[in-house]
Structures are given as structure tokens and as C-alpha cells.
């Protein structure tokens, strides 16, 4: 059996995608792009060791992305180009413990499958160089600016993917030739170096799901492709009514002779929704994130709590699918304010108003709400989140 190590190239800055973080450190569900790529190789029985090539200064980001993995990885600082980064990764494989072969994979292909890694590994039993390839499906045009000058015959054309597999010695020699100036420089994949030296490159079936994330649209498609499951949380809150209005409820300030009493602004409706979101995320409750013993939350507007919970959901890769709120009180009358509450809650959470339901009920003059001593609110929040 061929002894194979993997090099994952993660030193790029992702300038075409933009944003404050390189694309390999962006989240796809609960894991980063880099973590998904690394996990595929760490879990595969054909792969002995994993080397990740990173940019200088990214050590802490990588440590956070790969925390709690049962297997460790070797980190290597890359160069100014992809070719230089792969060469740095190959340098980490030299020595008496060097593998027979190596796979080189772009960190920005987070959906690489175990089956695809297996196909490349199997082909390396007999081949010196292997690439996954998929047929070109679209008609190809050659253009000059915006003017089409020719239609390109796509017969025999394929799109090359990673992981690309190689016998270690010829790949190392091809990179050394590039560094010395006698070989190819500026190669966009490693198979090009083998081709330039007259080597034979074999193809195996690639996978369209193994797409590379380059643009914001690519990232959006990758996130949309994640399998998601619903999670539902419940929230319930009660606050006493005391003299002196106005009252703040459902994110609105309503003219009323009484107000709700509490450490913050005591918006019972937003508190219930906030706890429902925390419940759906299995992420504590409003008291653990905003303890009433902390003076900084004295009189705080509850929209801050709800916005925080919504941000926590998005950070976990979850989509807030629906919020259902029921307010229990004799007064004030909620009906006249229902639509304004829906719009305000939707704005705080950042979802369409069609996903927010606001209902009101009395308790037929029974209990503390029936006696007008306080107001209660119950909420459910449904989120869609990736569990993988």
C-alpha cells in the first residue's frame, strides 16, 4: 500500500472574495472552510499525515479552526505564490520518514469527499501523477474585451480539481526545477509542473460538489448546499406592572399609565424571544449572557439582548426561520400594535416580517395577568442549522 501524506494549501488571502477574513477561515455551518477540508484528510485511512501551509501570522486562526481534533497537523509557513507554498509543504516531508506519495489539496475546496480521496489514492498505486477531472459542460467562447472572437471546441477538455496526487520524488523535482528557473513558474496547479517535465498525468472522476470557493457567490452556494436540520427553542418571561408609564413591550414604547418593572427595560416579549433563540441554539439563557447582577445592564434596551441572540445564531451558521410570540395580559390591548411589533421584531432579528407571528390573549381575568398585576410572554424560535 502506498504511503501517502497530504498537503493542504491555506496561505492565500482570498482577495477576490473580499472581507476581513481569508476565505479558508470563514464558517460553513459550525466549522470553517479550512476545518472541513482538513477533517476530510484527517479522517481518511489512506492518509498518514497532514501538512497545512499557512500565511505568516495565521497560526492562532488555524489553532482555533482545528481545536479538539484527535489527530494533529504540521503547520508550515508558505510563500508569495501557490507554487512557493506547495514547495514549502514538500520541504516538510523530506527526510527518512518521507512518504511514497503526496496529495495536494486547496483548502478552499471544503466538500472534498472520502470517495474522491480514495479514488486518487487507488490510482497512485500505479500512476505517478493523478488529478480529479470533470468534463466541461458549458460552451466555451474566446473573447477580446466584450467581443466574442471564437467558439472553442470543448472536445477533450476537462476541469482539473484537487486533491492532486503524486509520487513524491518527481513532484519535488518539478518544484525544485521551478525554483531554480529551469522549470515552470507561476503554475496554478501541480500537475502543470509534471506535464512540463514530460511526465504522464492520469485522471480520475472528479465531483461537481468539490467546487472551489473563490467569490462571494461561491460562498453563498456552499452555505446553501449544507444539509440543515430544524431546532426549536422555547422562551417564557414575566414582569410585574408598576405605576408610571409608558410601557415598553415588543420593542415598542406604548403610551400607558403603567410600566413593566425589571433590571433592564423589562420588555417581556423580547426577553421571551431572546430565550427562545438561546434555547434553539442550546446556548444558555438570557440570564447567563446578561446577568441582572451586572450593573451595565441596568435599564438596558432589550433589543440589544435580542440582536445579540440573533448574531449568535448567525455565527453558528444558523438561519432564523420563524418566531412565534404570544403575549398574555388584560391590558394594554396588543391588537392595535401587533403589526408594528412584528415589523420591529423582524428588524431587530434581521429576518422578513413574514417569519414573525405576534399573538395576544387574556387569561379570562384569572391569575396575576387577569388581575392586571403583570404581563407574561411565551415564544418559540425555529432555526435551521447545519449539524455537520
Amino acid at each position: 500500500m502506498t504511503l501517502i501524506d497530504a498537503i493542504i494549501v491555506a496561505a492565500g488571502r482570498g482577495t477576490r472574495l473580499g472581507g476581513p477574513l481569508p476565505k479558508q477561515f470563514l464558517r460553513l455551518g459550525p466549522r470553517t472552510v479550512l476545518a472541513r477540508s482538513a477533517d476530510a484528510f484527517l479522517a481518511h485511512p489512506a492518509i498518514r499525515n497532514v501538512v497545512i501551509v499557512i500565511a505568516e501570522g495565521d497560526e492562532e486562526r488555524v489553532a482555533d479552526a482545528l481545536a479538539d481534533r484527535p489527530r494533529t497537523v504540521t503547520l508550515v509557513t508558505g510563500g508569495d505564490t501557490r507554487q512557493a507554498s506547495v514547495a514549502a509543504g514538500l520541504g516538510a516531508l523530506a527526510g527518512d520518514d518521507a512518504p511514497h506519495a503526496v496529495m495536494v489539496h486547496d483548502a478552499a475546496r471544503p466538500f472534498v469527499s472520502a470517495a474522491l480521496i480514495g479514488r486518487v489514492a487507488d490510482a497512485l498505486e500505479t500512476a505517478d501523477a493523478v488529478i480529479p477531472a470533470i468534463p466541461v459542460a458549458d460552451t466555451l467562447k474566446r473573447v477580446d474585451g466584450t467581443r466574442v472572437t471564437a467558439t472553442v471546441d470543448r472536445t477533450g477538455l476537462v476541469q482539473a480539481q484537487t486533491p492532486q496526487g503524486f509520487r513524491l520524488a518527481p513532484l519535488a523535482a518539478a518544484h525544485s526545477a521551478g525554483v531554480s528557473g529551469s522549470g515552470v513558474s507561476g503554475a496554478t496547479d501541480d500537475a502543470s509542473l509534471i506535464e512540463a517535465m514530460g511526465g504522464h498525468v492520469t485522471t480520475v472522476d472528479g465531483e461537481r460538489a468539490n467546487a472551489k470557493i473563490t467569490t462571494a457567490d461561491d460562498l453563498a452556494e456552499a452555505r446553501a448546499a449544507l444539509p440543515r436540520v430544524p431546532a426549536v427553542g422555547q422562551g417564557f418571561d414575566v414582569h410585574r406592572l408598576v405605576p408610571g408609564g409608558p410601557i415598553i413591550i415588543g420593542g415598542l414604547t406604548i403610551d400607558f399609565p403603567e410600566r413593566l418593572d425589571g433590571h433592564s427595560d423589562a420588555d417581556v416579549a423580547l426577553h421571551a424571544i431572546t430565550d427562545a433563540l438561546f434555547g434553539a441554539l442550546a446556548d444558555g439563557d438570557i440570564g447567563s449572557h446578561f446577568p441582572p447582577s451586572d450593573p451595565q445592564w441596568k435599564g438596558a434596551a432589550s433589543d440589544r439582548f435580542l440582536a445579540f441572540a440573533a448574531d449568535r445564531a448567525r455565527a453558528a451558521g444558523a438561519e432564523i426561520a420563524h418566531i412565534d410570540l404570544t403575549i398574555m395580559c388584560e391590558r394594554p390591548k396588543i391588537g392595535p400594535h401587533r403589526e408594528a411589533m412584528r415589523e420591529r421584531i423582524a428588524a431587530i432579528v434581521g429576518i422578513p416580517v413574514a417569519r414573525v407571528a405576534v399573538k395576544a390573549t387574556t387569561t379570562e381575568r384569572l391569575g396575576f395577568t387577569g388581575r392586571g398585576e403583570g404581563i407574561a410572554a411565551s415564544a418559540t424560535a425555529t432555526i435551521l442549522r447545519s449539524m455537520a
Side-chain angles (χ1 to χ4, degrees), residues 45-89:
I47 303 300
R48 183 187 64 163
N49 296 315
V50 175
V51 173
I52 300 180
V53 186
I54 64 173
E56 186 175 0
D58 277 349
E59 292 81 3
E60 187 173 342
R61 286 174 175 166
V62 175
D64 288 343
L66 300 180
D68 302 323
R69 280 358 185 233
R71 293 175 59 189
T72 59
V73 301
T74 300
L75 300 183
V76 176
T77 301
D80 294 333
T81 65
R82 184 188 187 282
Q83 190 170 339
S85 292
V86 175

Side-chain angles (χ1 to χ4, degrees), residues 106-144:
D106 297 326
R109 294 184 187 270
F111 295 136
V112 57
S113 71
L116 179 53
I117 296 172
R119 285 197 293 276
V120 175
D122 289 344
L124 280 173
E125 293 292 337
T126 56
D128 287 339
V130 183
I131 65 169
I134 56 176
V136 174
D138 295 325
T139 298
L140 300 178
K141 302 286 186 180
R142 183 172 285 110
V143 298
D144 180 6

Side-chain angles (χ1 to χ4, degrees), residues 26 64 94 184 197-198 225 262 266 280 283 323 325:
L26 296 175
D64 288 343
V184 174
M197 294 184 68
D283 188 20
I323 289 170
L325 169 69

Side-chain angles (χ1 to χ4, degrees), residues 210-304:
N210 183 37
K212 187 176 182 180
I213 295 175
T214 301
T215 67
D217 285 345
D218 297 335
L219 180 63
E221 288 179 11
R223 285 175 169 161
L226 290 171
R228 296 187 298 177
V229 297
V232 179
Q234 295 180 316
F236 182 80
D237 197 35
V238 173
H239 280 283
R240 182 188 304 274
L241 283 165
V242 296
I247 189 171
I248 298 173
I249 188 168
L252 305 180
T253 300
I254 299 172
D255 186 27
F256 192 66
E258 295 177 293
R259 61 179 175 83
L260 290 167
D261 187 35
H263 185 68
S264 64
D265 66 6
D267 189 330
V268 66
L270 297 194
H271 289 186
I273 299 170
T274 301
D275 259 349
L277 279 174
F278 285 140
L281 292 166
D283 188 20
D285 59 21
I286 194 170
S288 60
H289 291 282
F290 306 99
S293 58
D294 190 336
Q296 70 172 309
W297 307 121
K298 178 68 174 177
S302 295
D303 58 0
R304 295 174 60 186

Side-chain angles (χ1 to χ4, degrees), residues 34-46:
L34 173 59
R36 287 181 176 275
S37 295
D39 286 347
F41 290 90
L42 289 168
H44 202 285

